[in-house]
Amino acid sequence: MKAIKIFSSVLRALLPLIIIPVSVYANVSGTCSSCHTMHNSQNGSTLVAEAQTSLMADSCVGCHSSSGTDTIITIGGSQVPIVYNTTAYPDKPLAGGNFYHVATDDAYGHNVWGISDPDATLTNAPGSTNSCGGGGGILTGCHFSLAVDPSLNTTMMAKGKNGCEGCHLSVKHHSVDPVAGQPENDASGWYRGLSGHYASHFSPLVPGIESSDWEQNPSSSNHNVYSARSDDYIQFNDDSSSPTITAYCVGCHETIHNQLEANVWIRHPADILLPEIGEYSSYDPVDSYNPTVPVGWTDISNRTRSTAAVICLSCHRAHGSQYPDMLRWDYTTMIANGGENNTGCFVCHSEKD
Ligand code: HEC
Ligand code: HEC
Ligand code: HEC
Ligand code: HEC
Ligand code: HEC
Ligand code: HEC
């Protein structure tokens, strides 16, 4: 990986010489050579040793990381969202958080190839029952780890779907984004290029509406809109009519979602409506959305208080955070009866502080 990172900084050094207008967001722009290499070699030097999808001049990690502190940088004519700041956790992480801590501490996020070795503690996705690819195991099964050296993988599944692409299966850098505020679609690569392998609820093409600055400066009006459903907490339903971001997580973490047994919660529910009564009534995400405690909606285009729902991302970041279990806030500060607190768990459980 080192070679890729060194190349990446060389690429960055050359890019300011190319003058192209900066696009605000939507599809990539700029000269092809900013991002693609035709022969994987220039002036006799080998650029990147490994085969690159789409003749890329850099890897996913290479383009989306930075040794600086900014989380949006410009390459050629395009703004690149940074998900891995290599020297410090950034002040303004994007919606998915940041991989900074995962590079040195497994517990802070998803271990991905190019950033960290496989997780030493979690040898499979917690809750996974998946053992496809010949009995399972980190090298032959699916999704046991997203940090396996691709050259050691023996199955196509594990080979092709590792690292960033293990999750961003449908990313389309040259697609045209929908008009701001409108839902993502097949042509745009779905929400943030996220999808499972099939168009089923179990393996969804993830709908959603994207914040134009990836929530670098989130507010009640500038935020991502996540998809949810209202009744999926009893048993995970394979119903392709309502794909959600939670179903997407559950594609790898299946049983972490089976939450109600004999009318007792065995896991914290997700894809459940946020009740409008009791302690939950104090959170109105329509008028005062709290970006540190997001909700999803059963109809992303028509968001009302009664159709807001708890999602996995209400509590977790997708990539990594500065807290264990990639939580959005410091769980050790959530103290029942510990005095006025309107962060984290207390945003919904407003009467437990
Ligand atoms: C800012 C970076 C960037 C620039 C500039 C860029 N590309 Fe790409 N391109 C990508 C990335 C990243 C992919 C990876 C696969 C994907 O997202 O579809 C890609 C994929 C592709 C693909 C395969 C997938 C598809 O959409 O058909 C083609 C062909 C392609 N680029 C051609 C070009 C050409 C031709 C140019 C110049 C006119 C260009 N690209 C400029 C980043 C860039
Ligand atoms: C050559 C540099 C380059 C490479 C290589 C690259 N990206 Fe990107 N990526 C970009 C740029 C530029 C954007 C911003 C495009 C935009 O504004 O939508 C982007 C945007 C994204 C987004 C956000 C899309 C959205 O809806 O906002 C995701 C997800 C992503 N890339 C994932 C990947 C993955 C996965 C790979 C490896 C397969 C990859 N990128 C490789 C340059 C790159
Ligand atoms: C475990 C699945 C997973 C992995 C692995 C993963 N991503 Fe993501 N990524 C997501 C999700 C989910 C989002 C949407 C986050 C949100 O909107 O809250 C996202 C968002 C993004 C974005 C938009 C910026 C943001 O923070 O919202 C970019 C760019 C991106 N990912 C690139 C990458 C790159 C590059 C890698 C590999 C280093 C990677 N992702 C690995 C699931 C993943
Ligand atoms: C492609 C498979 C895949 C998807 C999709 C996926 N995960 Fe994971 N997840 C894993 C694997 C593998 C591990 C165990 C290794 C690790 O921590 O990286 C893991 C670990 C975790 C952990 C524990 C992290 C730690 O190290 O303690 C959390 C929390 C988590 N995932 C939440 C989520 C959420 C939330 C989503 C949806 C945004 C999601 N996952 C989507 C594969 C996946
Ligand atoms: C209400 C907040 C909340 C929601 C919603 C939530 N989690 Fe968690 N999750 C946590 C907390 C807190 C932990 C830390 C461990 C603990 O306290 O049980 C955790 C831990 C985890 C772990 C690590 C388990 C391990 O063995 O290390 C995974 C994986 C995970 N969550 C995935 C998910 C997925 C997938 C969803 C959606 C189906 C989800 N979480 C929804 C709060 C939440
Ligand atoms: C986005 C809103 C939201 C957040 C954030 C949230 N919860 Fe919940 N929580 C709910 C909902 C909704 C229920 C289910 C209520 C019901 O039974 O109808 C629930 C149920 C529970 C229950 C079970 C209650 C019972 O009646 O059995 C516990 C315990 C709990 N949450 C703890 C936590 C903790 C601890 C955190 C922080 C790590 C947290 N919750 C964060 C919305 C939330």
Side-chain angles (χ1 to χ4, degrees):
M1 290 320 297
K2 210 160 184 202
I4 290 171
K5 274 184 205 137
I6 290 167
F7 169 70
S8 154
S9 55
V10 172
L11 177 74
R12 297 249 163 77
L14 294 172
L15 286 170
L17 304 174
I18 309 162
I19 298 154
I20 304 125
V22 174
S23 70
V24 182
Y25 77 116
N27 51 335
V28 294
S29 46
T31 51
C32 316
S33 62
S34 313
C35 304
H36 295 280
T37 170
M38 294 301 106
H39 308 289
N40 219 6
S41 161
Q42 194 61 39
N43 303 328
S45 68
T46 301
L47 299 181
V48 185
E50 294 165 39
Q52 300 284 340
T53 336
S54 305
L55 305 178
M56 294 313 309
D58 208 340
S59 63
C60 310
V61 177
C63 263
H64 286 283
S65 55
S66 168
S67 55
T69 52
D70 290 342
T71 47
I72 298 178
I73 63 168
T74 303
I75 290 189
S78 291
Q79 290 196 301
V80 191
I82 298 301
V83 298
Y84 175 34
N85 292 80
T86 57
T87 48
Y89 197 87
D91 290 340
K92 287 179 177 291
L94 304 179
N98 198 273
F99 285 105
Y100 172 71
H101 286 295
V102 192
T104 50
D105 196 327
D106 292 340
Y108 286 72
H110 278 115
N111 293 47
V112 294
W113 169 246
I115 293 177
S116 50
D117 290 332
D119 196 302
T121 312
L122 304 176
T123 51
N124 198 348
S128 173
T129 54
N130 218 333
S131 61
C132 60
I138 202 164
L139 293 182
T140 57
C142 314
H143 310 312
F144 280 71
S145 169
L146 296 161
V148 180
D149 178 344
S151 68
L152 298 178
N153 272 328
T154 53
T155 61
M156 195 48 215
M157 221 35 169
K159 238 183 186 146
K161 318 296 175 209
N162 204 18
C164 313
E165 288 167 285
C167 287
H168 295 283
L169 221 53
S170 58
V171 72
K172 289 182 182 165
H173 286 79
H174 288 283
S175 70
V176 177
D177 267 355
V179 177
Q182 292 302 307
E184 296 296 311
N185 51 44
D186 193 40
S188 73
W190 299 102
Y191 181 73
R192 302 298 183 209
L194 297 168
S195 77
H197 308 277
Y198 327 100
S200 73
H201 180 62
F202 165 73
S203 182
L205 308 170
V206 182
I209 300 174
E210 298 177 347
S211 146
S212 62
D213 71 349
W214 301 281
E215 286 193 359
Q216 190 187 52
N217 292 295
S219 68
S220 199
S221 53
N222 168 29
H223 63 81
N224 293 315
V225 177
Y226 303 106
S227 53
R229 59 182 274 168
S230 66
D231 58 350
D232 214 24
Y233 47 87
I234 299 173
Q235 187 70 40
F236 189 59
N237 288 305
D238 190 7
D239 170 3
S240 61
S241 66
S242 53
T244 68
I245 185 76
T246 292
Y248 173 79
C249 304
V250 172
C252 290
H253 295 284
E254 289 107 299
T255 57
I256 239 166
H257 195 264
N258 294 345
Q259 302 123 331
L260 196 64
E261 233 169 58
N263 268 333
V264 175
W265 297 119
I266 56 168
R267 309 196 202 289
H268 196 285
D271 270 359
I272 182 179
L273 291 178
L274 186 65
E276 292 176 88
I277 52 165
E279 60 176 349
Y280 307 102
S281 64
S282 60
Y283 184 21
D284 180 359
V286 178
D287 291 334
S288 352
Y289 188 86
N290 182 335
T292 64
V293 184
V295 295
W297 273 279
T298 55
D299 179 352
I300 53 174
S301 301
N302 179 23
R303 303 186 288 281
T304 64
R305 175 62 184 82
S306 62
T307 54
V310 182
I311 56 175
C312 306
L313 295 181
S314 295
C315 303
H316 293 285
R317 296 273 178 197
H319 292 152
S321 75
Q322 61 276 60
Y323 309 112
D325 292 295
M326 50 206 264
L327 288 168
R328 305 184 81 94
W329 8 265
D330 185 355
Y331 197 18
T332 64
T333 65
M334 302 293 140
I335 299 168
N337 207 9
E340 175 79 25
N341 192 333
N342 47 20
T343 63
C345 311
F346 300 119
V347 170
C348 297
H349 297 287
S350 63
E351 289 167 10
K352 300 291 186 291
D353 55 349

